[in-house]
Amino acid sequence: MYQSCAVFQTLLLTLCLGFSLKTGQCLKQKYFVKSSVCEIPYINPFAADTMKDFQKRTYRECHNDSDLVTSEFDFKLNQYRLHLHKNLARRMLNGSMGNATLECKYQKISRDRINEKPDNSYSEFKSRPLPDYLLVPKHTDFMITKCYVKDQKKQLKLLQTDGLTFIEEHLQQEDQKKAYAQQQRQNPKPSVLMLGLDSTSRMNLRRAMPLVYKYVSQPGWFELQGYNKVGDNTFPNLLAVLSGHSPNTLAKMCNVSKIGCLDRVPFIWKRFKRSNYTTAFAEDCKGINTFNYLLPGFQVQPVDYYLRPFLVAIESKFPVTKNFGFPFCVGRRLSFDYVWDFGRQFVDRFVKNRNIFGFLWSNSFTHDYYTATTALEQLFLKHLHSFEASGLFEHSIVILMSDHGHRYNTLRQSASGYYEERLPMMFIYVPPWFRQQYPHLVDNLRRNRNRLSSSYDLHMTLQHLLQLESTSLADFSMKHRSVACPSCQSLLFELPVNRACQQAGIDEKWCCCHATKTLKKNGFVRTLALAVVRRMNDHLVKRNFSHICHNFTLTHVHKIVRRLEQPADDNSLEEDETVYILQFWTFPNQPRFEATVRWNHRKHKLHMDVEDLSRLNSYNGDSNCINDKIAKKYCICKDSIRTIKRTPKGTTKPTTPRKIVEQYGYFSGLK
Ligand SMILES: *[C@@H]1O[C@H](CO)[C@@H](O)[C@H](O)[C@H]1NC(C)=O
Ligand SMILES: *[C@@H]1O[C@H](CO)[C@@H](O)[C@H](O)[C@H]1NC(C)=O
Ligand SMILES: *[C@@H]1O[C@H](CO)[C@@H](O)[C@H](O)[C@H]1NC(C)=O
Ligand SMILES: *[C@@H]1O[C@H](CO)[C@@H](O)[C@H](O)[C@H]1NC(C)=O
Ligand SMILES: *[C@@H]1O[C@H](CO)[C@@H](O)[C@H](O)[C@H]1NC(C)=O
Ligand SMILES: *[C@@H]1O[C@H](CO)[C@@H](O)[C@H](O)[C@H]1NC(C)=O
Ligand SMILES: *[C@@H]1O[C@H](CO)[C@@H](O)[C@H](O)[C@H]1NC(C)=O
């Protein structure tokens, strides 16, 4: 009897790869984080509901002609050189040039130093003839070239126009080189390159770019599987990483909508600069750049090498074709490639002879379509390999990251949508020399892979890289701690095992630590949903939006879950209070919302911040009347009401997201 039972259990064990004697159940559940105060389940990237619309995407190249003008850096002369390839022009003209000649010109582009908002502008200089070979005049950061065919009648026909970037020397070369060589001998510091793809969860990386996932699973890479976002959209999450601030702590310093405010923020690149690093920042899609979307941008150029003026110039001057929701081809090239080629130039030029800090961010491909990420895979791998060829991984800490996951449409509406949105990918690469010199720090990083961490911790990690002699958080002056989360710490120090969201600076709304239970829809659920919608209507009045935004009417409760609090959890909940996460649709225009609310069962009191609502579908076409980034999520403009037939019962049949896509495109402005 006993024996047969044991055999049975062994069998079960083999079948389940885990078996609980207590409950007699298979322990299939894996976790990203599991502690007494935080449980983040492992999310299967290939669950049926996230795969149902999934298909591999491809894209068309932006051009199929050859570059008439190419550039290379001459390390001896310390200058860029341009080559004009006339023979290629002949081929492009099918050998029928006849007596026609090729004439090329170039025009220097630079940052507009006079404009009140220089980030929204650029300066262009006089067009000059481009000879067959040209040593690019020093202090040329960007250039636009144009090649014409000139026929016998001296008529010019444009054959090709292109944009080129140069990483020009801004500093005294020799001094720098000596200082760097000396410092690397005595006390080497790592260079740092941050590579960001917008809206990419760690699940979607596995799902859509398995080869990139494999690349970042190689030795030296560490995945922070407990990395949880701290804010809704790009701005708060990147602000946290790059400055340690939240929008609230920033507001105490200055009004971010006012020109000059962003210049005062203690961005980490400033400290890198003070530590003799050379700095760069590049991002694609000018309309939604992190520090420019509905913001005035930087008045003073923030880093040594800043792509923005060039981006503004090419998006204004070149034909732009959209794909996957955003500028895709800008002139002859992918908007993506301008950023990563610029990054490659920067790395090539400096990584071997000085410390660099670079921040590259891309919105095209990944921002709006989670399947478009599949089209990026080969291209992204190509860039990673090219960074590898330039020696980046021998010298530098490399961070592959995202700000958040998909926040609307298919992925967000899947069963794991709550996690998709909140768990951005986060991979940190540590070069061999660093692993050798700081084995204890690397051990800490390894341990931290499955502990709860946040964007503020990543900020502290960057701070740590500039003071590697520190042994604990106590060694960091208040100036170098995260203002929004002073207890947050470097990921190269061991994080506490039992760490709650509060300690990591993660608000309840974004916290993935709590297990939840899905509830059946009943009278109470409807009461709660109606209270939520009423609160939303009151909010329109309170914010004085009711003259432009339509009132909401509840049409459908999609899903409701109750948060199961952890035993040793924080004490943010009042007695008799329960946290619910409610997904519901409203009339008109069928917006889909998710609200995280607290309900006091005794007092029947709702605790909710309408500004924190999540919008699960695109608001494109709903909110053009309003410019407030947050209000755009919920305002249904009175001038944009689409008539959707209401069924007699007073409920509307929700339109599928796909229909909405067809009508309005995905762009949500949710940036
Ligand atoms: C080359 O590109 C142009 C412009 O994108 C396009 O119209 C043309 O069809 C392409 N030709 C080939 C052979 O792919
Ligand atoms: C060259 O030939 C191709 C195909 O034969 C044609 O599409 C193209 O327009 C020609 N180019 C010129 C400049 O005549
Ligand atoms: C080229 O120019 C010469 C002299 O002007 C003329 O004789 C000849 O016919 C031209 N060739 C063509 C292909 O137009
Ligand atoms: C910040 O500045 C903007 C633009 O000048 C203004 O509309 C807004 O009211 C200001 N906000 C605060 C909190 O002062
Ligand atoms: C930066 O480099 C200069 C020499 O160019 C050196 O004097 C200075 O100490 C360095 N500063 C730091 C923080 O390493
Ligand atoms: C909209 O909602 C507000 C707040 O609940 C209410 O005062 C107002 O009467 C409503 N307006 C309409 C047209 O229903
Ligand atoms: C509300 O908005 C209206 C229309 O823009 C304006 O006339 C009114 O002064 C605003 N009221 C408040 C309290 O801001």
Side-chain angles (χ1 to χ4, degrees):
M1 172 72 194
Y2 171 78
Q3 209 175 11
S4 71
C5 184
V7 168
F8 179 62
Q9 277 179 7
T10 315
L11 187 69
L12 265 181
L13 274 169
T14 343
L15 285 175
C16 301
L17 299 166
F19 175 74
S20 164
L21 287 176
K22 228 193 233 164
T23 62
Q25 282 174 342
C26 291
L27 298 175
K28 270 197 251 120
Q29 185 63 59
K30 288 194 286 179
Y31 293 90
F32 285 134
V33 176
K34 184 162 173 43
S35 77
S36 68
V37 295
C38 183
E39 275 185 13
I40 307 181
Y42 169 81
I43 305 296
N44 173 12
F46 308 105
D49 62 343
T50 60
M51 296 304 284
K52 68 176 194 288
D53 292 337
F54 190 80
Q55 69 203 89
K56 278 218 173 251
R57 309 287 295 264
T58 54
Y59 67 93
R60 279 248 303 259
E61 297 285 347
C62 299
H63 71 265
N64 48 27
D65 54 352
S66 312
D67 298 350
L68 287 178
V69 183
T70 56
S71 82
E72 72 180 346
F73 187 70
D74 185 326
F75 275 91
K76 264 202 212 105
L77 289 176
N78 224 351
Q79 211 166 349
Y80 282 92
R81 190 200 295 281
L82 295 189
H83 298 270
L84 181 54
H85 303 279
K86 283 195 165 146
N87 53 330
L88 294 177
R90 196 158 290 125
R91 204 181 307 155
M92 279 161 73
L93 294 164
N94 303 335
S96 64
M97 287 264 299
N99 284 350
T101 53
L102 185 73
E103 246 186 53
C104 296
K105 294 177 176 174
Y106 74 91
Q107 195 180 15
K108 177 179 154 177
I109 301 287
S110 72
R111 184 165 169 87
D112 182 348
R113 287 171 210 285
I114 298 160
N115 198 291
E116 193 210 6
K117 292 181 182 171
D119 265 7
N120 296 344
S121 176
Y122 61 92
S123 293
E124 55 187 346
F125 292 74
K126 211 172 133 232
S127 242
R128 294 179 177 281
L130 180 64
D132 291 3
Y133 292 93
L134 173 74
L135 276 180
V136 177
K138 291 201 172 174
H139 311 295
T140 307
D141 293 324
F142 314 112
M143 180 187 282
I144 283 174
T145 61
K146 286 191 172 131
C147 286
Y148 302 89
V149 186
K150 189 158 116 189
D151 65 15
Q152 274 152 304
K153 290 176 196 151
K154 309 222 156 157
Q155 301 270 29
L156 293 181
K157 193 177 139 216
L158 186 63
L159 190 60
Q160 189 177 90
T161 178
D162 212 346
L164 301 174
T165 58
F166 308 99
I167 302 291
E168 287 289 346
E169 188 60 74
H170 294 164
L171 307 151
Q172 290 300 340
Q173 177 89 357
E174 285 314 308
D175 279 12
Q176 275 280 327
K177 264 191 183 159
K178 265 189 218 146
Y180 178 75
Q182 193 188 356
Q183 179 221 289
Q184 288 304 85
R185 266 197 309 277
Q186 291 165 352
N187 181 22
K189 288 186 200 161
S191 281
V192 179
L193 190 69
M194 305 180 76
L195 313 174
L197 300 177
D198 204 281
S199 305
T200 306
S201 70
R202 73 197 53 151
M203 284 69 82
N204 206 40
L205 180 75
R206 288 162 165 85
R207 182 186 296 124
M209 296 209 283
L211 294 175
V212 174
Y213 175 62
K214 198 172 152 206
Y215 189 93
V216 296
S217 303
Q218 296 179 89
W221 285 94
F222 298 87
E223 182 182 21
L224 277 299
Q225 301 193 350
Y227 186 84
N228 195 125
K229 75 170 185 174
V230 296
D232 187 15
N233 50 357
T234 307
F235 181 72
N237 288 301
L238 290 192
L239 184 72
V241 170
L242 295 170
S243 78
H245 272 278
S246 69
N248 285 341
T249 60
L250 177 60
K252 287 184 191 136
M253 214 166 86
C254 53
N255 180 344
V256 73
S257 302
K258 289 234 157 79
I259 182 99
C261 178
L262 280 172
D263 298 276
R264 293 174 52 194
V265 177
F267 283 108
I268 193 69
W269 50 65
K270 292 184 179 173
R271 191 174 177 208
F272 275 105
K273 181 76 197 153
R274 284 197 303 274
S275 309
N276 288 340
Y277 280 63
T278 299
T279 58
F281 176 19
E283 182 175 3
D284 59 5
C285 307
K286 77 173 167 118
I288 56 162
N289 280 182
T290 307
F291 300 108
N292 302 95
Y293 174 61
L294 303 178
L295 291 173
F298 295 99
Q299 199 164 30
V300 178
Q301 178 167 322
V303 289
D304 297 323
Y305 298 94
Y306 188 47
L307 191 68
R308 172 90 189 167
F310 180 68
L311 183 72
V312 175
I314 57 175
E315 281 197 29
S316 326
K317 283 171 163 293
F318 291 167
V320 174
T321 49
K322 290 198 172 183
N323 194 3
F324 306 135
F326 287 101
F328 192 72
C329 290
V330 180
R332 298 176 67 241
R333 297 170 196 279
L334 291 171
S335 68
F336 186 88
D337 276 341
Y338 288 104
V339 170
W340 300 77
D341 287 343
F342 182 72
R344 164 75 197 269
Q345 267 183 310
F346 174 66
V347 169
D348 264 354
R349 180 76 201 274
F350 295 134
V351 79
K352 291 191 175 128
N353 54 41
R354 68 177 65 168
N355 279 131
I356 56 172
F357 171 81
F359 186 78
L360 309 180
W361 195 262
S362 186
N363 300 294
S364 58
F365 282 96
T366 57
H367 189 279
D368 269 16
Y369 293 82
Y370 76 106
T371 56
T373 311
T374 60
L376 180 60
E377 179 164 47
Q378 288 302 332
L379 180 65
F380 196 69
L381 271 181
K382 192 191 87 187
H383 282 289
L384 286 172
H385 286 134
S386 130
F387 279 130
E388 203 174 305
S390 63
L392 176 71
F393 295 101
E394 287 151 40
H395 299 266
S396 322
I397 303 267
V398 182
I399 299 172
L400 173 65
M401 63 175 291
S402 192
D403 44 357
H404 49 73
H406 263 256
R407 296 184 297 136
Y408 46 93
N409 295 337
T410 311
L411 274 192
R412 185 60 183 85
Q413 292 173 27
S414 71
S416 57
Y418 184 85
Y419 295 103
E420 279 289 344
E421 176 183 352
R422 288 162 169 78
L423 301 176
M425 64 171 175
M426 177 54 59
F427 294 83
I428 300 181
Y429 170 82
V430 183
W433 71 266
F434 191 98
R435 278 177 258 160
Q436 209 159 46
Q437 182 151 353
Y438 301 102
H440 56 295
L441 298 185
V442 178
D443 283 344
N444 290 339
L445 182 61
R446 187 174 295 115
R447 268 185 222 112
N448 288 341
R449 284 178 304 175
N450 294 96
R451 298 198 182 161
L452 180 67
S453 60
S454 78
S455 322
Y456 299 116
D457 298 320
L458 182 62
H459 175 73
M460 290 310 296
T461 312
L462 298 172
Q463 297 278 7
H464 191 180
L465 293 176
L466 291 166
Q467 50 178 86
L468 282 164
E469 66 286 359
S470 305
T471 56
S472 76
L473 182 62
D475 292 343
F476 286 74
S477 67
M478 279 326 276
K479 197 175 133 204
H480 294 139
R481 291 205 199 171
S482 160
V483 175
C485 179
S487 63
C488 285
Q489 63 163 67
S490 164
L491 296 164
L492 298 170
F493 292 142
E494 188 176 348
L495 293 168
V497 178
N498 288 320
R499 195 177 194 219
C501 280
Q502 244 182 349
Q503 292 158 286
I506 305 161
D507 287 346
E508 185 179 275
K509 158 90 181 167
W510 308 119
C511 182
C512 285
C513 284
H514 310 284
T516 57
K517 184 177 186 318
T518 302
L519 305 182
K520 286 217 173 66
K521 288 175 220 166
N522 55 22
F524 160 70
V525 171
R526 192 158 174 84
T527 306
L528 181 64
L530 287 170
V532 166
V533 171
R534 201 175 312 121
R535 180 66 58 84
M536 289 164 67
N537 285 330
D538 292 347
H539 188 76
L540 292 181
V541 175
K542 202 169 101 198
R543 289 220 41 197
N544 197 21
F545 290 150
S546 38
H547 59 293
I548 47 172
C549 310
H550 201 284
N551 269 12
F552 305 96
T553 308
L554 180 70
T555 56
H556 172 70
V557 176
H558 183 63
K559 186 180 172 187
I560 179 161
V561 304
R562 179 164 61 85
R563 229 178 223 181
L564 309 173
E565 297 305 320
Q566 308 297 322
D569 199 8
D570 58 65
N571 46 14
S572 56
L573 281 189
E574 285 169 24
E575 213 184 318
D576 302 316
E577 243 182 7
T578 305
V579 176
Y580 293 97
I581 302 162
L582 183 70
Q583 293 186 355
F584 58 98
W585 319 159
T586 66
F587 178 86
N589 287 16
Q590 284 302 336
R592 299 175 171 210
F593 295 108
E594 183 184 274
T596 303
V597 305
R598 296 190 215 161
W599 178 259
N600 188 311
H601 287 270
R602 196 165 43 82
K603 298 181 191 157
H604 295 268
K605 208 177 101 199
L606 177 72
H607 187 106
M608 169 191 186
D609 186 348
V610 175
E611 300 279 296
D612 270 353
L613 271 175
S614 291
R615 176 71 179 263
L616 305 183
N617 64 334
S618 167
Y619 60 62
N620 191 23
D622 287 341
S623 60
N624 290 337
C625 66
I626 201 155
N627 249 343
D628 180 303
K629 218 187 285 189
I630 293 176
K632 267 182 178 294
K633 281 191 303 194
Y634 58 78
C635 178
I636 307 299
C637 293
K638 285 187 175 167
D639 62 9
S640 314
I641 303 306
R642 305 191 288 276
T643 44
I644 295 176
K645 272 192 205 121
R646 307 193 76 194
T647 61
K649 271 188 202 148
T651 55
T652 354
K653 208 167 167 260
T655 42
T656 64
R658 185 165 297 165
K659 272 197 192 122
I660 295 173
V661 172
E662 278 163 14
Q663 276 176 284
Y664 302 102
Y666 261 174
F667 179 53
S668 61
L670 281 167
K671 174 61 189 168

